[in-house]
Amino acid sequence: MRDVLDQMIAWGVPVSDETERRLRRYGELLAEWNERLNLTAIVETREMWIKHFLDSVAIAQVPAWRDVARRGGRVIDIGSGAGIPGIPLAIGWRSVSFVLCDASRKRVQFVEHVIGDLGLSNVKALHARMEELGRQPGMRGSFDAAVARAVARSNVLLEYAAPMLRPGGRAFLYKGPSYLGEEEQDAVRAARLLGARPDGVTTYALMDDQGERVMALFQQVEPCPKRFPRKPGTPSRQPL
């Protein structure tokens, strides 16, 4: 996967022999556990490296992420699932602290196994719903960044992310090209209600013609209003 690693380096990802070793081992664990937990539909090795690992670290292209990494910030991965994008990010940026949150206990157990197997001291896995986590002291308003990939529409994701971010913190939403339209308009309207504002969009293409991608960036400009997040299930049933 040398060419995939070269692309990571070109984007500004700090890649070492240890980075490569951990990514390879993570891929092995994904394939092994996938047989009983159905973690991902992507099982072919090269496709996994491009669609999961390379796409996860594409955030390195965004100057705001480089600022988070330089300061050794605190990041929450919303709906992390099998650890995407949180695990590849934690492998690449060891000085950044990550909390990987998911509502599925089985997936959190897998992520906990990965953390132990790979020796990732900068990652914590958490079994919780974002609507509840966003009201917990010590969690609400304590993160420098939130990341979310393939979880929900952006207006829903922002209601999960905004309560977690400190003023000045940023939400990085991994999206497909269809974001640039109605979904973007909905996200901008939701951001206003949540004390956030749009902060740019980065577009990029994956290797091997594996698809176009969009990184939508939002900045928290003031503390999220106390009425958010709403009760569990409400953000997805009644999006802002």
Side-chain angles (χ1 to χ4, degrees), residues 167-226:
R170 288 181 168 88
F172 299 82
L173 309 184
Y174 293 70
K175 290 295 186 176
S178 63
Y179 170 82
L180 300 171
E182 182 181 343
E183 183 174 353
E184 183 178 19
Q185 296 169 11
D186 289 345
V188 171
R189 284 193 294 268
R192 293 194 192 103
L193 296 173
L194 294 161
R197 66 172 176 83
D199 198 27
V201 172
T202 298
T203 60
Y204 57 97
L206 296 178
M207 299 173 63
D208 294 2
D209 296 320
Q210 294 284 1
E212 304 289 326
R213 295 289 188 270
V214 169
M215 182 77 66
L217 182 61
F218 291 82
Q219 184 174 33
Q220 197 68 28
V221 295
E222 58 189 28
C224 180
K226 292 182 179 179

Side-chain angles (χ1 to χ4, degrees), residues 38-193:
N38 192 27
L39 296 168
T40 175
I42 299 171
V43 293
E44 192 274 323
T45 301
R46 184 171 178 81
E47 188 178 12
M48 184 183 294
W49 272 70
I50 294 173
K51 286 190 172 181
H52 282 340
F53 303 167
L54 182 63
D55 192 26
S56 292
V57 301
I59 199 172
Q61 301 171 85
V62 184
W65 173 257
R66 296 198 289 271
D67 182 56
V68 171
R70 184 168 53 251
R71 291 186 289 109
R74 189 179 189 214
V75 180
I76 185 162
D77 181 2
I78 296 170
S80 186
I84 303 293
I87 293 294
L89 292 177
I91 290 171
W93 288 273
R94 298 302 308 281
S95 64
V96 178
S97 174
F98 293 87
V99 174
L100 276 54
C101 181
D102 200 88
S104 166
R105 186 175 297 278
K106 289 183 178 180
R107 289 182 176 180
V108 170
Q109 289 172 342
F110 167 71
V111 171
E112 288 175 335
H113 180 81
V114 170
I115 291 169
D117 190 291
L118 272 56
L120 296 175
S121 58
N122 59 328
V123 190
K124 177 182 178 181
L126 200 58
H127 175 237
R129 293 191 63 133
M130 291 305 304
E131 299 97 326
E132 297 167 344
L133 199 64
R135 295 194 172 277
Q136 286 187 15
M139 300 297 287
R140 184 182 178 96
S142 69
F143 288 88
D144 300 291
V147 296
R149 179 177 179 268
V151 179
R153 281 180 65 85
S154 298
N155 51 350
V156 177
L157 290 175
L158 286 171
E159 186 169 352
Y160 296 154
M164 311 304 298
L165 294 171
R166 62 166 182 80
R170 288 181 168 88
F172 299 82
L173 309 184
Y174 293 70
K175 290 295 186 176
S178 63
Y179 170 82
L180 300 171
E182 182 181 343
E183 183 174 353
E184 183 178 19
Q185 296 169 11
D186 289 345
V188 171
R189 284 193 294 268
R192 293 194 192 103
L193 296 173

